[in-house]
Amino acid sequence: MKFNTKTIHGGQKPEEATGSVMPPVFLTSTFAQSSPGNHKGYAYGRGTNPTRTALENSFAAIENGTHGFAFASGMAAIDCVLRLLKPGDEVIAGDDLYGGTYRMFTQLFQKYGLEFSYVDMDDVKNVSDAITQKTKLIWIETPTNPLMKIADIESISSSVKEVNSNIIVAVDNTFATPYLQKPLDLGADIVMHSATKYLGGHSDLLMGALMVKDEKLAKEIHFIQFAAGAIAAPMDSFLALRGIKTLHIRMQRHCENGKAVAKFLKNHPKVGEVYYPGFKDHPNHEVATKQMKDFGGMVSFRLKDQSKEVAFQFLENTQIFTLAESLGGVESLVNHPVTMSHGSIPEKERLKVGITDSLIRLSVGIEDIEDLLADLEFALNT
């Protein structure tokens, strides 16, 4: 199947008992057994649920994996990946990360004995040079949140495996979605999504996803998911599966609108730097062009006036762009990383990578572009 068909039919089949085209929402915690251990593939909801199974099959299909896993949140999915490691193991991550990921690394797993180092993944050599005997996981976020840096997944995966084939390469594919790039096809071992975002697409659920190809790795992840219990609920699974069925057409519009918004901002006299990998002068434009189908609907920019007061004035004056956490829904959202998505990162570390008071992140929705541009113009000039 081609991708657009996979979003609708990938891993799916009509429900056997009734022929229902969409899987029913199985709101049950347990399943009847005819004798001890003899059941119809489902015993207890923490282990498996038919609605969640349908979603996980879809997850695997759209990322060209063999196994998909649905978690209670994106952070629960990252937590599961880190539980593959043991005290003393090292994780190499990019230097521009979602604040919640950084918080989990530094405030939770670091005190449990994992070690973390952060490198600029613009240069593949920075990653390979950082590898030590302790390195067990490479954590790649691309495009990054919020500075839209692009890491070369294929080159990093290849160079890492040359050093040590046992090192796991994991990619947070939330911003791009499998519509734009497929990390497993580029050599990664694990793909992670905050399915709350583009995969769900309607700002009505919390969910995380992991997709893999390797059978052994899939068994380890399933055990951790079952033992720790951070699973996606049946109703959320149904909503996410419904969202995935329109992922391709939503992403087309996100990309179209994102491109127009980025161009508008770049030409506006009150706007400084615009972070959007579709621009030819973006430092990672060639890599983005090579590994991504298009450039997505996420755009970050910096106001020329560097004060927090002016940034707040802009944020308070948008009418269609809603000031809120999260991203990837059909509606346009605006975010202030310093006080919102990256507030948990210490100021010194934020400033190192350029997350300043005047930095603003847009999740460009699928509304009429004329309305979005008018809203930005109004907020910039009010």
Side-chain angles (χ1 to χ4, degrees), residues 29 44 139:
S29 60
Y44 186 58
W139 186 264

Side-chain angles (χ1 to χ4, degrees), residues 26 45 53 71 80 94 107 113 123 132 145 183 193 197 202 230 261 277 280 298 314 327 334 348 374:
F26 286 87
T53 296
F71 292 82
C80 178
Q107 296 184 39
D123 189 342
T132 69
N145 181 3
H193 287 269
K197 314 303 194 295
H202 293 79
V261 164
K280 289 185 179 179
M298 298 300 300
F314 170 86
L327 59 103
V334 60
K348 182 180 178 182

Side-chain angles (χ1 to χ4, degrees), residues 99-115:
T101 305
Y102 182 86
R103 178 177 56 227
M104 178 176 281
F105 286 1
T106 58
Q107 296 184 39
L108 284 181
F109 280 91
Q110 197 162 287
K111 72 180 182 181
Y112 298 148
L114 295 187
E115 299 178 13

Side-chain angles (χ1 to χ4, degrees), residues 73-207:
S73 68
M75 298 314 302
I78 298 173
D79 175 86
C80 178
V81 174
L82 294 177
R83 288 173 189 259
L84 293 166
L85 310 179
K86 63 181 186 300
D89 289 346
E90 179 190 44
V91 178
I92 298 173
D95 60 358
D96 180 31
L97 287 176
Y98 165 55
T101 305
Y102 182 86
R103 178 177 56 227
M104 178 176 281
F105 286 1
T106 58
Q107 296 184 39
L108 284 181
F109 280 91
Q110 197 162 287
K111 72 180 182 181
Y112 298 148
L114 295 187
E115 299 178 13
F116 296 88
S117 61
Y118 304 91
V119 302
D120 182 353
M121 290 193 174
D122 282 4
D123 189 342
V124 176
K125 193 172 184 295
N126 291 341
V127 181
S128 53
D129 285 353
I131 293 173
T132 69
Q133 290 184 340
K134 293 182 176 181
T135 305
K136 295 296 186 293
L137 174 68
I138 310 296
W139 186 264
I140 302 171
E141 191 179 291
T142 183
T144 62
N145 181 3
L147 295 174
M148 305 302 294
K149 295 168 70 174
I150 307 295
D152 190 328
I153 299 169
E154 187 171 31
S155 295
I156 291 174
S157 298
S158 177
S159 66
V160 167
K161 298 300 182 180
E162 284 180 9
V163 176
N164 184 344
S165 61
N166 293 319
I167 295 174
I168 297 170
V169 177
V171 177
D172 182 339
N173 201 28
T174 300
F175 271 27
T177 83
Y179 177 79
L180 298 180
Q181 70 185 13
K182 296 182 179 63
L184 295 180
D185 290 350
L186 297 172
D189 300 297
I190 299 175
V191 177
M192 174 267 166
H193 287 269
S194 173
T196 306
K197 314 303 194 295
Y198 285 109
L199 297 190
H202 293 79
S203 303
D204 55 8
L205 62 92
L206 285 174
M207 187 177 292

Side-chain angles (χ1 to χ4, degrees), residues 50-70:
T51 314
R52 196 169 85 238
T53 296
L55 172 63
E56 291 176 334
N57 289 341
S58 177
F59 279 166
I62 61 176
E63 280 286 9
N64 291 344
T66 56
H67 298 78
F69 303 90

Side-chain angles (χ1 to χ4, degrees), residues 308-328:
K308 183 181 286 189
E309 292 73 22
V310 170
F312 274 33
Q313 185 177 358
F314 170 86
L315 294 162
E316 292 166 0
N317 284 329
T318 58
Q319 303 296 311
I320 297 176
F321 279 87
T322 302
L323 179 61
E325 300 277 1
S326 200
L327 59 103

